[in-house]
Amino acid sequence: MKNLKKLLLTAVAITASSAAFTVFAVKPQVIKLDNGPEITLYTPEKPVGAAVLICPGGGYVKKCIDKEGYLFAPFFNEKGITLAVLDYRLPAGNPSLPTGDAVAGLRYLHDNADALHLDKNKIGIMGGSAGGHLAAQTAVSAPKDVAPKFQILLYPAVSMVDMSLAHRGSRERLLGDKADDRETMIAYSPNLLVTPETAQAFIILTADDSIVDPENSLSYARALGSNGVACELHMFAHGPHGFGANEIPFRKVWLDALSHWLDTNVLSE
């Protein structure tokens, strides 16, 4: 991991305004949180007050911390947005570990908002796949004082109840010996926990995702809508699961859409 972070000191920028690569220096700061997790902080040269805590996916058995974490730093920093990449603890059957780490990451950003030039009303959360589950779960369950004000979800695993939708590996690794306990499954199914106070969302996925059923994203979007929470959803016909910051045919399209959504719903407020 340390070698990867050194390599990323000069990062490949995936911009929302151009499909071409841009290379520039990024100087991350690693912050150790209580009890083991850490965040890698990418601060833009000219902060605009917004920040994103990003939770990499990996089925709760590993963390794809480069393509679903570090490599998003140039995109956000070019918009003046601070990025905090969360290296959370894997649950191994204890779901309170990753969710607690996500809350701790948000709390760090809130507690240090002045030093980081952040507006506490512009701190959000992001995640892909199992990291998308973690981001959504945090969005619906975090304490009110640090709850994210927006959420960005990439092909998230959401349901832990519906066996036709659940990503079984993530479910079993997250919930452990309570994976078949209905009360626990409901408590970690964000699509069942949305309220009118849940943060607005941007969701992207592909219709032929063979790893996480697209209905996860659709059910979460419906739950947001039925509670009057704004949600923008982009579903592309074809594409791999777990694309993250990787090169894909619709990369510029989805990053343009995300950039516009951020400009309209986060940075302009």
Side-chain angles (χ1 to χ4, degrees):
M1 184 182 298
K2 291 181 179 178
N3 290 335
L4 177 60
K5 290 175 182 175
K6 290 179 180 178
L7 289 173
L8 288 169
L9 291 177
T10 300
V12 177
I14 305 170
T15 70
S17 59
S18 171
F21 290 110
T22 304
V23 178
F24 66 98
V26 178
K27 297 180 180 179
Q29 178 185 8
V30 178
I31 308 295
K32 292 190 177 297
L33 305 175
D34 292 339
N35 301 318
E38 63 182 36
I39 58 174
T40 301
L41 200 63
Y42 294 84
T43 303
E45 183 178 348
K46 297 180 179 179
V48 296
V52 171
L53 179 73
I54 189 167
C55 308
Y60 284 125
V61 70
K62 63 179 181 178
K63 286 159 284 188
C64 301
I65 206 162
D66 49 359
K67 69 176 180 177
E68 292 183 351
Y70 305 138
L71 289 176
F72 278 106
F75 169 80
F76 287 107
N77 280 182
E78 284 192 346
K79 294 185 69 64
I81 299 173
T82 297
L83 182 69
V85 181
L86 179 66
D87 189 357
Y88 55 89
R89 291 171 294 175
L90 295 171
N94 183 354
S96 67
L97 293 181
T99 54
D101 292 351
V103 170
L106 290 169
R107 192 167 297 283
Y108 176 86
L109 295 175
H110 277 259
D111 289 348
N112 295 276
D114 290 343
L116 296 172
H117 306 288
L118 300 180
D119 179 343
K120 293 181 181 181
N121 290 315
K122 295 183 178 181
I123 297 175
I125 197 164
M126 175 177 176
S129 195
H133 174 270
L134 178 54
Q137 180 68 26
T138 305
V140 299
S141 64
K144 187 175 181 179
D145 63 326
V146 296
K149 298 303 187 292
F150 60 92
Q151 50 184 320
I152 302 167
L153 307 178
L154 284 62
Y155 37 83
V158 173
S159 178
M160 294 288 164
V161 175
D162 188 336
M163 291 302 99
S164 67
L165 301 184
H167 183 258
R168 292 177 181 268
S170 296
R171 172 178 162 272
E172 291 170 2
R173 287 184 285 269
L174 179 68
L175 304 183
D177 59 8
K178 292 189 176 181
D180 294 320
D181 178 73
R182 184 167 178 77
E183 184 176 342
T184 302
M185 289 189 288
I186 291 173
Y188 286 92
S189 293
N191 57 323
L192 303 179
L193 305 174
V194 173
T195 72
E197 286 70 46
T198 301
Q200 61 180 323
F202 177 97
I203 305 174
I204 180 168
L205 70 152
T206 56
D208 59 356
D209 188 328
S210 61
I211 305 298
V212 173
D213 193 311
E215 184 61 26
N216 279 270
S217 294
L218 299 178
S219 66
Y220 192 60
R222 285 195 295 270
L224 292 167
S226 65
N227 279 274
V229 178
C231 176
E232 182 170 320
L233 183 145
H234 296 260
M235 184 164 68
F236 293 86
H238 304 292
H241 178 77
F243 51 81
N246 287 350
E247 175 67 53
I248 47 174
F250 54 88
R251 184 185 65 185
K252 183 179 184 300
V253 177
W254 91 261
L255 287 174
D256 277 348
L258 175 57
S259 182
H260 181 265
W261 183 82
L262 288 165
D263 289 342
T264 304
N265 297 285
V266 178
L267 302 183
S268 66
E269 294 184 354

